Amino acid sequence: MNILIILGEVSLIIFVFLLINWLVNKAFKLLIKSSIFKNEDRSIKTLRRNITGLLLVVCLVSCVGIIGANGYLVYRGENLQQYTLNLIRRIPLEFWRTLGIGVAKSIGILILAAIALKFINYWLKIAKIRAKNLQRSTADDESIDAFFRALNQRVSGGIWLWAAILCAEFLKLPPVVSQYLYIALRIYLIIAVGLLILKAVAAVVDSLDALSIRYSSPDNLLRFYDRLRHLIPFLKRCLEFVIYVCMATLVIQQVQLIANVAVFGERIIKIIAIIFVSRALFEVIYLFIEEVLFKNQNLTDIQRSRRLTLVPLFRSFLQYLIYFGAIISILYTVKIDPTPILAGAGIVGIAVGLGAQTLINDIVCGFFILFENYYLVGDYIEAGKSEERIVEGIVEAIELRTTRVRHPNGQLQIIQNGNIGSITNYSKQYIFAVVEIGVPYDSNLVDVYKVIEEVGQQLKADYPDVLEGTQVDGVESLGESNLLLRTLTKVKPGKHLQIQRILRKIFTHVLLREGIVIPSRVETAED
């Protein structure tokens, strides 16, 4: 009989251990399914194994303790059955009645929770199907699925946690247990609702994005949406940060020890809002500037070049201005007066300016280049000091400090505005495409001139970039075996290299067809 009593007590300890271990595993499975801990799967599993091991050690120690205590009683000659019954009789009958009722209520609550979850899952599936049917576009189906999946997980976790609180009350556990369970429930609900809002916001943003793309047309304001659509990921990220900060603030408020830290949550949210508004304001104003400057489709090439030159400068100036204002607003938000900082920055700026004369020289030269219209974006130029390497190519960008020039061979050349030196601009009004042709001494120059002029007239008819037909400027030089003729073709700015290549090809073909042998290669000079 003594052995049976000991086995019964040990079995009870093992049953309690298995029940607690089941509850722990259930809780950790809910954590793993949560999106917050999705990337911490390995860490959560390790923690679960450690807790299971700790419970196992406690269970073994308890079993050994019970066996040892009962062994000691047997050694003293006590009757274990009588001793156990006496212990049970000392417990008031009301306790057993309360315990039985509590266990019955707890079992009923758990059964009701399981049944309620079945109904909730069913209605959530119906709601998900109807939500998808409301949208004619399937672009946001993934967001809707994610929202309802998260909603199902949060509701399930909340119901089980609420059931645990009711069970603790039914079983008349110490008030501190219910108190901490209520705190855990509030924290869980805060996190659950926050994550649901996060999923809902993602679904709403995706839906609005799909609708904006569908209904955009050249006749409404949504025509600008495609140019602002790159802000959508940034908007999502900012909203995520705001929701996470709100969740953290509310959770911290539940813990009395660190509740005072929650006041920083509002400031962080304001900072996030300032950053997003600054970025959005910059993009909208820049879009407005582009729309105003390039709305007219009848711009001349010079007007378009000037505006292409000024737009990047407006963009840089606007960017610095808005971000400077954002920094000042952030300083005010965190209760820092920016006035002393600005005063100190002014003094530091003077000191830096004295030591950065080259930088200032570059900026001043940049202003002169822009306002005196030396060259514009798209112009073909040669620039540089005579004793240094000459920079040649098409101007891609004019900045306050540097000019970026793309060489005909493709390399990007960056030259400081202060070192720009002399400038040759091939893109002002017109330019001559100069091609020199070598012909034999016995050639009839009258016929050669006639052929060249006919080619020039045909070239003018075929190519809009040619302003006037090709003219023979005369004999440039007398070579050992040929006469070098110089031809001029008036073309639009920046088109001389292209027309020169075309002329060489046509001259070679036409002169050979006319029986005029070209004794030497064509040479080129540029004016």
Side-chain angles (χ1 to χ4, degrees), residues 453-470 489-490:
E453 291 176 356
E454 289 177 354
V455 169
Q457 294 300 322
Q458 185 63 39
L459 186 71
K460 180 183 178 183
D462 294 340
Y463 293 91
D465 293 331
V466 178
L467 301 177
E468 295 180 2
T470 304
T489 306
K490 193 174 185 179

Side-chain angles (χ1 to χ4, degrees), residues 175-342:
V176 67
V177 176
S178 298
Q179 179 182 354
Y180 282 112
L181 285 176
Y182 273 115
I183 293 175
L185 177 62
R186 288 197 294 268
I187 293 175
Y188 177 82
L189 290 177
I190 290 170
I191 296 175
V193 172
L195 294 177
L196 287 176
I197 293 175
L198 197 63
K199 298 292 184 181
V201 167
V204 170
V205 172
D206 289 340
S207 299
L208 293 177
D209 181 43
L211 291 174
S212 299
I213 294 174
R214 183 193 305 169
Y215 293 110
S216 64
S217 69
D219 300 328
N220 55 34
L221 289 177
L222 289 177
R223 67 181 182 274
F224 302 116
Y225 178 73
D226 189 58
R227 298 170 64 182
L228 297 174
R229 195 182 177 204
H230 62 278
L231 290 174
I232 294 297
F234 185 61
L235 172 62
K236 284 185 176 181
R237 185 63 62 186
C238 289
L239 291 176
E240 287 179 5
F241 286 149
V242 169
I243 293 172
Y244 283 135
V245 171
C246 290
M247 290 165 52
T249 302
L250 294 175
V251 169
I252 290 173
Q253 289 176 350
Q254 307 304 316
V255 183
Q256 296 296 329
L257 185 63
I258 56 174
N260 294 331
V261 183
V263 297
F264 293 101
E266 182 181 356
R267 299 179 186 178
I268 296 174
I269 293 173
K270 288 182 179 179
I271 291 173
I272 296 173
I274 290 171
I275 293 173
F276 175 76
V277 170
S278 301
R279 174 72 184 278
L281 182 64
F282 166 69
E283 295 293 342
V284 171
I285 295 178
Y286 180 66
L287 177 63
F288 174 76
I289 292 174
E290 281 192 331
E291 182 68 13
V292 170
L293 292 179
F294 297 102
K295 185 176 182 179
N296 186 2
Q297 300 295 327
N298 299 321
L299 295 175
T300 63
D301 292 340
I302 295 178
Q303 289 175 329
R304 183 170 293 276
S305 296
R306 287 177 179 173
R307 297 186 183 192
L308 286 173
T309 303
L310 294 176
V311 164
L313 295 177
F314 284 145
R315 180 184 177 91
S316 299
F317 177 76
L318 181 66
Q319 184 176 10
Y320 291 135
L321 179 63
I322 291 178
Y323 288 166
F324 177 77
I327 292 173
I328 298 299
S329 300
I330 290 173
L331 290 176
Y332 277 117
T333 301
V334 296
K335 308 299 182 183
I336 296 177
D337 186 4
T339 305
I341 299 176
L342 294 176

Side-chain angles (χ1 to χ4, degrees), residues 2 70 72-83:
N2 291 338
N70 285 294
Y72 176 72
L73 292 174
V74 171
Y75 174 75
R76 288 176 52 186
E78 297 282 351
N79 187 342
L80 289 183
Q81 181 180 3
Q82 190 64 33
Y83 185 84

